[in-house]
Amino acid sequence: MARDMLSKHLRPHALITLVAVMTSGCLGHFYEIPRTELERLARTPPEERGQGVYAVQRFSTAEEPTPAPPWAPVTGEPPPGYYLSLHGHWMPSFYVDYGEPYYAPPTYRAPAVHDATPVSGAPSGGSVTSVGSSAGSSLDAIKAADRLLVVAVVVGVAVGVGLAATEGLRYEGTVAVHPHHPLHLWHGDGSQSIVALDELSPEHLQGIDSATVSGREGAGMWLRGAAPINRAGFSYQFGAGEDTFTLPGRQSLRSLGFRFALGYYPSRKFGILADSRLQFDDDALNGFYNVRLGLEAQWYPISLWRLHLGPFVGGGQSWSASAGATLPTTQGQRPYVSFGGLAELELSTRLGLTFRWTQDWLPTASADTRDFISSWSVGFAVY
């Protein structure tokens, strides 16, 4: 029934929200090189610099540098240790094993004035209560609350899908480029300059804020392998599964539930998040909602290739209500404690597919609603 509510009430709103989030930024062909990586490259032998560069893909909405001129095709025999690529550039021989580049270089068009050097070598609480006499008005209030929860779910899912499709799929890892690939340097005063990667020196890095390389310049770019999942920093998590709502008389309702969380990982394995869980449903005769809001600590101490395992513990406040022909009329708020297990399958450096098994306990509930409650959910975590 909750699925029907989502479809009936907010199908147009969901589409509008999702499109707005998805089009707010897309991935581009520029990759940012961290400062520590620039310093390492400046110390690396020039002929070895292009084969392994740690870089992070930028969004197309970010400011782009002045493009470097395309390279002119070379003539004659390749020098020792090089071969002639299909795109007309001399490439180091070991690049043969890389295959065709992920980004093909631009097509060269001769300028009006010949330029023999296309790349510059220097930088320019409470308990459940019975309200049976007002069952009709209580059911109407629950249905109104459920409509608000539908809005929250649609917005939360749309934000999560948008982040997963952009931030979550952003490439972060090792790229390979020609040793002489153009490197765009961004100076602290706002100016830009271009230096060939094999000509980069520590002096070039003075006053530099950041540097970028483009896959559509030089001889193209190879993506050599994404880095392992990196949770350090902010995280947004969302998912759905089966949740449980307990009622007096040891009656329980198991139905579709949603989870949304936002928090921060100070390290790759440990994080603290503000966590919410939304369970609700209604029809012509009955209605209920069960909302939890609290804090949660997550820890991933075990890694088995791309699978990561660990526990979590949390707690907070819950708000719930029920009414109808076959449900008792209840309303209340009380604290809850939760704990359980996490399994995360690494999809990319910033995206994981998660499975959660949860046990909840309501310490101040009545004796017949205080039992441990189990639930599960599947979702995504964006880092």
Side-chain angles (χ1 to χ4, degrees):
M1 288 184 290
R3 296 181 181 88
D4 296 336
M5 291 175 63
L6 288 168
S7 175
K8 178 177 66 175
H9 290 299
L10 278 174
R11 186 179 298 167
H13 299 75
L15 181 60
I16 293 172
T17 304
L18 183 58
V19 170
V21 173
M22 294 288 287
T23 56
S24 61
C26 54
L27 299 172
H29 58 89
F30 280 94
Y31 289 70
E32 184 167 346
I33 304 175
R35 174 77 188 199
T36 53
E37 178 68 355
L38 287 173
E39 295 171 352
R40 184 191 71 81
L41 290 171
R43 299 189 302 267
T44 303
E47 66 277 6
E48 299 177 7
R49 293 179 183 177
Q51 59 184 298
V53 179
Y54 194 91
V56 182
Q57 190 174 15
R58 303 179 76 193
F59 293 109
S60 59
T61 52
E63 182 183 1
E64 294 187 0
T66 302
W71 286 0
V74 295
T75 58
E77 291 296 321
Y82 281 74
Y83 73 98
L84 185 64
S85 74
L86 296 178
H87 298 284
H89 305 301
W90 289 339
M91 302 296 301
S93 297
F94 57 84
Y95 280 39
V96 172
D97 296 334
Y98 296 173
E100 282 297 289
Y102 183 86
Y103 293 97
T107 302
Y108 177 76
R109 292 179 176 84
V113 179
H114 180 68
D115 182 2
T117 311
V119 179
S120 170
S124 51
S127 59
V128 176
T129 57
S130 174
V131 243
S133 60
S134 57
S137 60
S138 296
L139 182 56
D140 291 339
I142 289 173
K143 289 184 177 181
D146 284 355
R147 286 192 288 271
L148 293 177
L149 294 176
V150 169
V151 175
V153 168
V154 170
V155 172
V157 171
V159 171
V161 171
L163 288 173
T166 53
E167 184 68 37
L169 296 181
R170 181 159 58 146
Y171 184 85
E172 178 178 347
T174 302
V175 302
V177 293
H178 192 283
H180 200 63
H181 194 91
L183 180 63
H184 298 269
L185 303 178
W186 298 77
H187 300 261
D189 59 5
S191 61
Q192 305 173 26
S193 62
I194 300 176
V195 62
L197 181 59
D198 57 3
E199 296 175 358
L200 179 70
S201 67
E203 289 71 25
H204 287 109
L205 302 182
Q206 296 179 6
I208 296 299
D209 278 352
S210 61
T212 56
V213 291
S214 171
R216 296 177 180 172
E217 293 179 345
M221 178 186 291
W222 292 259
L223 304 185
R224 298 291 296 149
I229 195 164
N230 181 11
R231 301 183 188 90
F234 287 98
S235 174
Y236 182 81
Q237 303 177 6
F238 67 106
E242 186 181 63
D243 218 330
T244 305
F245 178 34
T246 59
L247 295 169
R250 296 191 179 277
Q251 183 179 0
S252 63
L253 296 173
R254 302 187 73 87
S255 68
L256 180 65
F258 303 89
R259 174 182 176 268
F260 305 95
L262 178 66
Y264 185 79
Y265 274 74
S267 69
R268 290 174 178 260
K269 294 187 176 183
F270 177 79
I272 298 177
L273 302 99
D275 182 78
S276 65
R277 286 161 56 194
L278 313 177
Q279 181 191 10
F280 57 92
D281 209 347
D282 65 60
D283 56 25
L285 300 178
N286 299 291
F288 73 91
Y289 65 79
N290 185 24
V291 177
R292 303 177 183 89
L293 180 63
L295 291 176
E296 180 175 293
Q298 300 180 354
W299 182 39
Y300 285 97
I302 302 174
S303 296
L304 304 172
W305 190 56
R306 289 182 174 269
L307 181 63
H308 307 270
L309 306 172
F312 71 89
V313 62
Q317 192 78 359
S318 69
W319 294 263
S320 60
S322 64
T326 61
L327 294 179
T329 301
T330 63
Q331 182 176 356
Q333 64 181 64
R334 55 203 176 194
Y336 73 91
V337 176
S338 65
F339 61 92
L342 297 166
E344 181 175 70
L345 180 63
E346 177 183 328
L347 300 180
S348 72
T349 308
R350 297 287 181 177
L351 181 66
L353 175 66
T354 60
F355 175 82
R356 299 166 54 90
W357 176 79
T358 305
Q359 285 276 61
D360 291 304
W361 181 50
L362 308 172
T364 64
S366 58
D368 59 350
T369 59
R370 196 183 299 151
D371 293 340
F372 285 99
I373 309 164
S374 64
S375 63
W376 60 268
S377 68
V378 177
F380 294 93
V382 186
Y383 301 102

